[in-house]
Amino acid sequence: MKYRSITGVHDILPPDTYDWQFVEQVARELFELYNFREIRTPIIESADLFERGLGEVTDVVQKEMYIMEKGDDRICLRPEATASVVRAMLQNNMHKTASINKLYYIGPMFRHERPQAGRTRQFHQLGVEMLGSLDPTVDLEVIALAMEFLGKLNIGGVKLKVNSLGCRNCREKYREVLRRSLNNSLGRLCETCKERYNRNLFRILDCKEQQCRAVIQNIPGIQDYLDEDCGQHFDFVLRGLKKMNIEYDVNPLLVRGLDYYTRTVFEITCDKLGAQDAILGGGRYDNLVEEFGGPDMGASGFALGIERLLMVLGKLELLPKKEKPLQLFICAAPGGAEVKTRRLTVRVAYRLRKKGIYCDTDFENRSMKAQMRAANKFNAQFVLIVNDASIRSDRGELKNMATGEQFEIDINDIPKKILGE
Ligand code: HAM
């Protein structure tokens, strides 16, 4: 083999593509029901957009971005789409024509991470962003939609974890508390967290290393340091979730990996996944629009990893049957004016498809036996055999593959026969 796809990047082949279409279809229908509208932003953006938007010290920006330089441009493959959506809204003045923008997207993202089960370098997200309001009802709308989507797919074993990171002021206060509390235990942290202490303090809280977990469990949570407004906001969200019968756990250690988050953050994990158990993550980002030069405006959203979702759906056998049987396979009976008959098969297929018949034919000039094998392989419900005489008569032999019954038929009558019209 001369060429292979690059590490951590995969082909999605038929029939698996039908699983993708299924999930995308359920998402589109539900997101539209909630009055979100689709946005498609470019896959390449200025690298600066994410460096600024996600935070210089995040893992994504420090280690995982695919960056290319072309002339004076420093561009990258998007590692996520929230920053892109904010940019697109501002660039196209969408915030001026609507006070709230409810947008969703489906597409590939790129992060140069170490590939493992549930983690690839090109992966796909389904996401929503709701921009324009600081009101906590937005958090409820977004979280409810996330839960409803997984509910629609009948996924069990999911857990919603929520936390509040407060606003900038709360975080500054908490940063000091954290710094002081961790100062004496620095020696017990893993090497990465020792580094994080100086440049990415909050990420220490969700380190998975046992030694760090032991230290972290004695650290006061951010909840005690939320100011009145942030405290009330979080309270509103938690009460709202209860009223909507959405089960959740408050996890004071949930900090999320991107710097733009403020106040409510959430993650949904699934016990059917391995180490990479986060199927979906999101939260508020009330400063990002302003940071990108727009007005002061609240926003919240989430993104779900489609690969991880499909892993869960596959394990739980929740994916619908992939291939639908072909309605008709058209065979050319070998004989005198073979060339003409073969041309006829394509012509008949062309005609019948115009009438909505899902059909196919032989393209390899094969024997009758091989053509019948092909029909079986496609699970064809009917087979139409045409021969030289069919060219003039416009008639052929139709065989019902389930009953074995075979009879002569006018080709014009086939749609009626197959579709039962
Ligand atoms: P994120 O947590 O970085 O958030 O990614 C969201 C989801 O994408 C994860 O929960 C996971 O399912 C999937 N994912 C991330 N990285 C990979 C990977 N390397 N391989 C496979 N799946 C992956 C965001 O991207 C935010 N933009 C979400 C958001 C939207 N927050 C507000 N609005």
Side-chain angles (χ1 to χ4, degrees):
M1 257 302 289
K2 196 165 170 194
Y3 295 113
R4 299 187 64 81
S5 63
I6 59 176
T7 307
V9 172
H10 301 289
D11 300 308
I12 305 166
L13 307 175
D16 294 352
T17 35
Y18 294 97
D19 296 338
W20 286 73
Q21 287 180 13
F22 163 69
V23 162
E24 288 164 8
Q25 184 63 23
V26 173
R28 278 178 201 287
E29 275 170 22
L30 188 70
F31 294 173
E32 301 266 348
L33 188 70
Y34 276 63
N35 201 23
F36 282 77
R37 294 182 306 157
E38 186 177 7
I39 184 167
R40 300 189 188 195
T41 61
I43 283 168
I44 48 176
E45 293 270 7
S46 131
D48 184 46
L49 177 76
F50 300 101
E51 288 164 346
R52 180 81 194 275
L54 313 191
E56 295 278 356
V57 296
T58 53
D59 285 350
V60 175
V61 167
Q62 291 232 316
K63 305 181 204 153
E64 297 165 7
M65 292 245 285
Y66 283 93
I67 298 180
M68 303 164 266
E69 307 212 353
K70 279 266 167 220
D72 289 339
D73 295 334
R74 226 174 124 259
I75 56 180
C76 72
L77 299 177
R78 62 179 184 193
E80 61 109 56
T82 307
S84 309
V85 169
V86 173
R87 179 206 47 72
M89 176 190 74
L90 292 173
Q91 182 177 337
N92 298 289
N93 287 321
M94 295 167 77
H95 58 299
K96 293 195 179 144
T97 45
S99 59
I100 297 240
N101 274 287
K102 296 170 91 173
L103 302 165
Y104 75 88
Y105 48 86
I106 304 177
M109 311 290 159
F110 306 84
R111 296 183 194 174
H112 192 268
E113 296 190 83
R114 196 169 47 78
Q116 63 183 83
R119 198 205 266 159
T120 49
R121 289 181 173 170
Q122 174 174 333
F123 60 98
H124 299 74
Q125 285 186 343
L126 275 166
V128 307
E129 310 295 347
M130 186 163 167
L131 305 114
S133 173
L134 284 163
D135 201 75
T137 46
V138 168
D139 308 40
L140 292 174
E141 173 88 337
V142 166
I143 296 175
L145 174 54
M147 292 302 282
E148 186 64 12
F149 178 57
L150 298 176
K152 271 242 169 297
L153 294 166
N154 292 318
I155 295 185
V158 295
K159 234 189 190 119
L160 167 66
K161 300 178 199 165
V162 292
N163 192 20
S164 174
L165 300 178
C167 60
R168 276 196 191 119
N169 295 340
C170 308
R171 267 214 307 285
E172 279 324 302
K173 255 190 287 162
Y174 184 59
R175 192 186 301 279
E176 274 322 299
V177 174
L178 206 53
R179 206 181 285 285
R180 254 184 284 124
S181 320
L182 287 169
N183 196 26
N184 295 330
S185 327
L186 269 184
R188 287 160 54 209
L189 295 178
C190 73
E191 289 310 308
T192 317
C193 282
K194 277 181 192 146
E195 254 178 61
R196 284 177 175 150
Y197 184 78
N198 287 319
R199 51 171 193 87
N200 200 359
L201 191 64
F202 285 92
R203 279 323 290 274
I204 298 178
L205 291 177
D206 71 356
C207 181
K208 303 270 185 304
E209 295 293 328
Q210 207 50 49
Q211 63 201 94
C212 298
R213 288 221 169 272
V215 173
I216 295 156
Q217 85 191 6
N218 301 317
I219 302 275
I222 192 168
Q223 265 68 54
D224 304 337
Y225 299 90
L226 295 182
D227 64 24
E228 202 182 332
D229 279 355
C230 291
Q232 275 174 5
H233 185 106
F234 195 39
D235 204 45
F236 186 102
V237 174
L238 297 184
R239 279 170 198 264
L241 290 175
K242 247 191 215 130
K243 289 250 182 261
M244 290 162 103
N245 290 325
I246 297 175
E247 278 182 36
Y248 63 86
D249 283 334
V250 174
N251 180 349
L253 301 179
L254 179 69
V255 291
R256 308 272 303 126
L258 311 167
D259 268 6
Y260 51 57
Y261 289 111
T262 52
R263 292 193 167 171
T264 319
V265 288
F266 59 95
E267 222 163 69
I268 299 179
T269 55
C270 181
D271 60 10
K272 305 291 176 303
L273 290 167
Q276 304 303 320
D277 64 351
I279 198 163
L280 176 160
R284 275 202 163 269
Y285 45 96
D286 294 335
N287 304 130
L288 192 60
V289 179
E290 202 177 13
E291 248 167 61
F292 282 0
D296 178 9
M297 104 169 28
S300 178
F302 69 76
L304 163 144
I306 303 182
E307 282 83 354
R308 292 187 193 173
L309 177 68
L310 286 171
M311 273 168 74
V312 176
L313 290 172
K315 276 189 189 160
L316 296 174
E317 296 183 8
L318 289 171
L319 289 163
K321 243 175 105 77
K322 293 175 190 177
E323 312 253 33
K324 47 179 184 157
L326 202 63
Q327 287 174 319
L328 179 72
F329 191 85
I330 304 163
C331 299
E338 241 180 70
V339 176
K340 284 191 187 157
T341 309
R342 270 160 52 213
R343 235 178 356 237
L344 180 69
T345 55
V346 184
R347 208 160 64 236
V348 171
Y350 177 71
R351 246 170 81 189
L352 291 175
R353 286 167 183 152
K354 279 188 197 289
K355 302 279 179 211
I357 301 294
Y358 170 42
C359 64
D360 209 345
T361 183
D362 176 63
F363 294 94
E364 297 164 83
N365 193 20
R366 290 183 291 187
S367 69
M368 195 60 202
K369 206 167 145 196
Q371 293 184 68
M372 289 306 281
R373 257 203 312 273
N376 278 322
K377 199 173 145 225
F378 288 121
N379 256 327
Q381 292 167 330
F382 290 89
V383 164
L384 174 70
I385 302 160
V386 289
N387 57 23
D388 289 3
S390 310
I391 297 168
R392 282 176 164 267
S393 66
D394 211 25
R395 297 175 78 83
E397 285 283 317
L398 190 71
K399 181 172 181 182
N400 181 328
M401 298 295 273
T403 61
E405 183 195 4
Q406 185 166 329
F407 48 89
E408 205 193 315
I409 191 164
D410 186 320
I411 291 173
N412 289 317
D413 293 337
I414 290 177
K416 209 164 39 190
K417 178 77 194 162
I418 293 182
L419 302 173
E421 283 162 1

